[in-house]
Amino acid sequence: TLRNGEKKHYDHKVDVYSFSIVLWELLTNRMPFEGMSNLQAAYAAAFKVRLRINKFKLKHLGEKWYNLIKMLL
């Protein structure tokens, strides 16, 4: 918990995760954490709940895209 006036410092990992979520959305045409409330989705992201990657649904993209998304998430 942060105290009043404290700042939390983030590194490049936050940007990589954000990029991977956007890439996942673009390639799957789905919302991440479907079926969860905003609070549940925020909790899932904060505690590193990984998105499920369905290889069959991404088959049309090829092995390289699938492996990239898997590595980033």
Side-chain angles (χ1 to χ4, degrees), residues 4 6 8 10 30 32 35-36 38-39 43 51-53 58-60 64 70:
N4 192 17
E6 284 185 304
K8 189 168 183 176
Y10 298 98
R30 295 178 53 207
M36 292 185 181
N38 291 340
L39 185 58
Y43 182 85
L51 294 174
R52 292 190 180 139
I53 304 170
L58 298 178
K59 187 177 178 181
H60 67 286
K64 288 182 181 180
K70 188 175 178 179

Side-chain angles (χ1 to χ4, degrees), residues 20 23-24 27-28 50-73:
S20 65
L23 183 61
W24 185 89
L27 295 175
T28 63
R50 300 188 81 176
L51 294 174
R52 292 190 180 139
I53 304 170
N54 187 327
K55 190 171 186 175
F56 179 76
K57 289 184 180 181
L58 298 178
K59 187 177 178 181
H60 67 286
L61 300 171
E63 196 72 21
K64 288 182 181 180
W65 282 105
Y66 172 78
N67 289 333
L68 175 65
I69 294 171
K70 188 175 178 179
M71 181 183 70
L72 292 172
L73 289 174

Side-chain angles (χ1 to χ4, degrees), residues 24-42:
W24 185 89
E25 287 179 286
L26 291 170
L27 295 175
T28 63
N29 198 30
R30 295 178 53 207
M31 293 290 292
F33 306 110
E34 275 180 343
M36 292 185 181
S37 69
N38 291 340
L39 185 58
Q40 290 170 320

